[in-house]
Amino acid sequence: MDTERLRPEPIDLGPLPGLLGHLLRRAHTRMLLDFTESTAEFGVTSGEFALLCLVEANPGVTLGQLATAAALDKSTLSPAMQRLTERGLVERHAVPHDRRAQALRLSPGGAALLPPLKDRIAEHETRLSQPLEASEREMLMRLLRKLNGL
Amino acid sequence: MDTERLRPEPIDLGPLPGLLGHLLRRAHTRMLLDFTESTAEFGVTSGEFALLCLVEANPGVTLGQLATAAALDKSTLSPAMQRLTERGLVERHAVPHDRRAQALRLSPGGAALLPPLKDRIAEHETRLSQPLEASEREMLMRLLRKLNGL
DNA sequence: TATTGTTATACTCTATAACTATA
DNA sequence: TATAGTTATAGAGTATAACAATA
């Protein structure tokens, strides 16, 4: 990112501050960039972290179930899950009576990775939430959950 | 996106619903996909629309100023602005006393495109905001503006 | 030296469609 | 026929770094 020098005349953002989509884009982009920096040493992207959490909370879950839970297409999850298994963080087990499906579980390595990673992410979340009061942050998350149907 | 069949046991989302980054990702992704569908006939992406709005509100603005206003790198804006000028929606004018810079203005075509596009986007915003009461939507945008430092 | 804008490159996230294997 | 998962492909969005032209 550039650090531009301050301008005498501030730019008029026009209708953008009144558009939810625009505000979400900006907020999401900022968080994603900081997430990547903050967790670089773990080598796990934001999306991969979400998958690890879901597998941890639902041992034996299948990829299709994860797709539903994460609101993503299976074709999005499949390569991500492949990286996680290749790196030895997730194990694929056979599912009785359905040889198409795969039961997903964290490996010991994956289980060991998550606690310190979660700590780092908690710091990142706190830092990025600085502009908000604690109560505002709670309210924001409540509204986003409702918007997302969660 | 897949339409998965309903599962007897709902998936446990673990810590994800308590993470602002995760909630922002889901909300932003949903809005971006619907934006793309809703405005397909205009052939303008979400990011390009934001640039058009900024140029409209700040005729004569330079690319560097836009980068600051949109919180994006100039290398992100440069190709996007090139597409807009090639499509005849934005015009580049010379800046007196600085031949490096370019003063950006909407072309008549760009100015004509924006009103119906804005109407379409307003519908899209309303539709995606359905899960929220009007007052909740206002509150959500207020909190996002504060989070974004706007 | 510093700044404006361009270009080359790379990475993340996401989807659709076509496919294989299995049910 | 339908489903689970993979693969090929595409597109949006973003950044860093090196560069040419200009200040």
Side-chain angles (χ1 to χ4, degrees):
Chain A
M1 280 276 298
D2 272 359
T3 303
E4 295 286 332
R5 73 172 190 273
L6 290 178
R7 291 283 172 167
E9 295 180 41
I11 300 296
D12 179 355
L13 295 181
L16 299 181
L19 293 177
L20 188 51
H22 180 75
L23 296 172
L24 287 171
R25 175 183 74 72
R26 289 180 75 138
H28 175 241
T29 298
R30 282 207 325 143
M31 295 232 39
L32 188 57
L33 286 176
D34 189 82
F35 182 103
T36 304
E37 271 184 43
S38 305
T39 66
E41 69 188 83
F42 293 91
V44 173
T45 70
S46 157
E48 290 166 351
F49 169 70
L51 294 185
L52 290 175
C53 285
L54 290 172
V55 172
E56 179 188 46
N58 307 274
V61 71
T62 68
L63 193 136
Q65 289 173 307
L66 284 189
T68 305
L72 297 172
D73 194 86
K74 58 188 180 176
S75 69
T76 300
L77 262 56
S78 182
M81 196 53 77
Q82 250 178 311
R83 284 192 298 275
L84 293 175
T85 53
E86 281 164 10
R87 291 184 48 201
L89 301 177
V90 172
E91 295 168 352
R92 289 161 157 157
H93 298 275
V95 172
H97 309 308
D98 190 343
R99 286 190 299 172
R100 295 170 305 178
Q102 51 191 231
L104 303 167
R105 292 175 191 282
L106 290 188
S107 72
L113 181 76
L114 269 182
L117 178 52
K118 282 178 179 171
D119 288 347
R120 182 64 55 86
I121 290 172
E123 292 170 20
H124 142 81
E125 288 260 330
T126 301
R127 180 162 12 91
L128 273 282
S129 302
Q130 276 301 329
L132 301 180
E133 309 285 337
S135 63
E136 290 176 323
R137 181 169 180 276
E138 278 312 306
M139 171 72 80
L140 175 57
M141 292 207 293
R142 188 181 74 71
L143 293 171
L144 286 172
R145 280 193 292 269
K146 188 168 181 182
L147 183 66
N148 286 327
L150 295 181
Chain B
M1 280 280 295
D2 273 359
T3 304
E4 295 286 331
R5 72 170 192 273
L6 291 179
R7 293 282 172 169
E9 295 180 42
I11 300 296
D12 179 354
L13 295 180
L16 300 180
L19 293 177
L20 188 51
H22 181 76
L23 296 172
L24 287 171
R25 175 183 74 72
R26 289 180 73 135
H28 175 241
T29 299
R30 283 207 324 143
M31 294 228 47
L32 188 57
L33 286 176
D34 190 83
F35 182 103
T36 304
E37 273 185 41
S38 305
T39 65
E41 69 188 83
F42 293 91
V44 172
T45 70
S46 157
E48 289 167 352
F49 169 69
L51 294 185
L52 290 174
C53 285
L54 290 172
V55 172
E56 179 189 45
N58 307 275
V61 72
T62 69
L63 193 135
Q65 288 174 308
L66 285 190
T68 305
L72 296 172
D73 195 85
K74 58 189 180 177
S75 68
T76 301
L77 263 56
S78 183
M81 196 54 78
Q82 249 177 312
R83 286 191 297 276
L84 294 175
T85 53
E86 279 164 12
R87 292 183 49 201
L89 301 177
V90 172
E91 295 169 351
R92 290 161 157 158
H93 297 276
V95 170
H97 310 307
D98 191 342
R99 284 189 300 173
R100 295 170 306 179
Q102 52 191 231
L104 302 167
R105 291 173 192 284
L106 290 188
S107 71
L113 181 76
L114 268 183
L117 177 52
K118 282 179 179 171
D119 288 349
R120 181 64 54 86
I121 290 171
E123 292 170 21
H124 143 80
E125 287 261 330
T126 300
R127 179 161 14 90
L128 273 282
S129 301
Q130 277 301 329
L132 300 180
E133 309 284 336
S135 61
E136 290 176 322
R137 180 169 182 277
E138 277 312 307
M139 172 71 79
L140 175 57
M141 292 206 294
R142 186 180 75 71
L143 293 171
L144 286 172
R145 279 192 292 270
K146 189 169 181 182
L147 183 66
N148 286 326
L150 295 182

